[in-house]
Amino acid sequence: MRIFEARIAVVTFLALVPAAHAEDVTDAVPGHPGVTYETLLRQAMPDLAKSTDGHWTSSKLMRLRGLDGKPETDADLAFDDITPIKLREGGHERLAVLTGDSQTGSGFSAVLAVFDAAPATPKLLDYMDVGGDRFVGLGSPKTLAIAADSDAVIVDNNHFNSNQNYSQDTILYLDRGRLRVAFTQFTLNSGFCGYEERQVPVYSVHDVKGSKYRAISVSVTQTVTRSDETCDEGTKILKASKHTYTDVYSWDAKKNDFVTHTNAMKALMQPDE
């Protein structure tokens, strides 16, 4: 990766952060009279409390695991709001609740908790630490219909500096009420003297005959655009180019998982010089 003098304002990268509808922890859960999101989250976070500085905190999450599936014992949550979203699993209605951006300096944990929405008080099914970067939210699109009666949800982690925006999308789905990761996709947007480099992901699904789930395609279009800036002598500027790279993740019944036999993204970070 080449680092040159930054010429792009931070606002350029702010526009790349996906918007999501955040709600307060004390808000009522639609369709469930007398139930708030605080009530639901306490099923996963029994010590959930509002600190003196106004953040919601929790540090006693039992059986918490990360995106790699490994147990986590030191997650320290501090967040201001939550984002709820409805999902389907085999025709059953689920409610997912994602905690907001980390407000603690000890890490970037964020919890995605999933509930069975059928009972009067939705029942906790599973939860996972899906954090990993400064900002966390639902991706674009927020969900993918991986079957006629089932959805996957996309969680995006990102951060930016003066001339770069780093983003990682994680596609998660439910298997018998348990959260599982289908795959992750990293993209990078950069602005240097003389050019901008953008990587824009697009997700889609398509039917596969006889398969439990539809295949998930991710296509990333990488564009290098030249500018007429005057740069320091010797500055290496990439050629203008545009390429699209696509990987397909299909359901493997034997492995009980999404797998890919393509490796198109290997070339993603290698634009034309």
Side-chain angles (χ1 to χ4, degrees):
M1 183 173 63
R2 303 162 180 82
I3 304 295
F4 298 119
E5 181 183 359
R7 298 292 187 186
I8 290 185
V10 173
V11 68
T12 301
F13 298 102
L14 282 171
L16 299 172
V17 179
H21 180 64
E23 297 192 25
D24 193 85
V25 175
T26 58
D27 285 349
V29 179
H32 298 272
V35 179
T36 66
Y37 292 108
E38 181 180 358
T39 303
L40 300 189
L41 288 176
R42 285 190 183 281
Q43 296 180 50
M45 311 171 192
D47 65 334
L48 182 65
K50 199 163 189 178
S51 63
T52 55
D53 57 7
H55 305 314
W56 289 93
T57 64
S58 175
S59 58
K60 296 181 180 178
L61 290 88
M62 305 300 293
R63 300 181 299 280
L64 180 67
R65 66 191 189 285
L67 291 172
D68 58 2
K70 296 179 180 180
E72 292 189 2
T73 58
D74 57 354
D76 185 12
L77 292 179
F79 56 94
D80 290 337
D81 49 36
I82 54 94
T83 301
I85 187 168
K86 292 182 179 180
L87 301 173
R88 299 170 302 155
E89 181 196 3
H92 299 288
E93 185 178 347
R94 309 303 192 200
L95 174 63
V97 178
L98 175 65
T99 62
D101 299 335
S102 175
Q103 301 298 319
T104 175
S106 62
F108 296 122
S109 290
V111 166
L112 180 67
V114 179
F115 304 84
D116 180 359
T121 298
K123 180 182 178 181
L124 179 66
L125 296 174
D126 194 20
Y127 56 101
M128 178 182 284
D129 185 351
V130 297
D133 214 331
R134 178 65 184 86
F135 303 105
V136 62
L138 298 179
S140 180
K142 297 180 180 68
T143 63
L144 293 168
I146 58 172
D149 58 0
S150 298
D151 301 313
V153 60
I154 302 178
V155 174
D156 175 77
N157 278 274
N158 68 83
H159 80 271
F160 60 89
N161 54 34
S162 61
N163 68 318
Q164 292 178 310
N165 174 275
Y166 304 81
S167 183
Q168 178 166 292
D169 287 334
T170 302
I171 290 77
L172 300 110
Y173 65 102
L174 288 161
D175 181 13
R176 290 170 291 183
R178 187 172 175 84
L179 283 164
R180 298 186 62 186
V181 175
F183 65 95
T184 62
Q185 180 61 53
F186 175 79
T187 52
L188 173 66
N189 295 281
S190 303
F192 302 117
C193 187
Y195 72 96
E196 294 182 19
E197 181 182 2
R198 296 291 186 90
Q199 296 176 351
V200 180
V202 174
Y203 301 95
S204 60
V205 296
H206 58 269
D207 291 325
V208 177
K209 187 176 181 179
S211 177
K212 177 180 179 180
Y213 295 118
R214 293 166 176 155
I216 307 174
S217 295
V218 52
S219 295
V220 177
T221 298
Q222 179 172 270
T223 304
V224 176
T225 304
R226 298 286 292 267
S227 71
D228 57 1
E229 292 176 286
T230 300
C231 303
D232 294 339
E233 185 178 353
T235 297
K236 196 169 185 178
I237 303 174
L238 299 185
K239 295 179 181 178
S241 62
K242 184 176 182 179
H243 299 292
T244 298
Y245 306 91
T246 301
D247 279 328
V248 179
Y249 292 81
S250 302
W251 181 252
D252 188 316
K254 291 184 178 179
K255 295 183 177 180
N256 194 41
D257 202 358
F258 282 92
V259 299
T260 182
H261 300 292
T262 58
N263 194 22
M265 299 303 166
K266 183 178 180 180
L268 184 61
M269 303 302 294
Q270 304 171 18
D272 293 341
E273 296 185 0

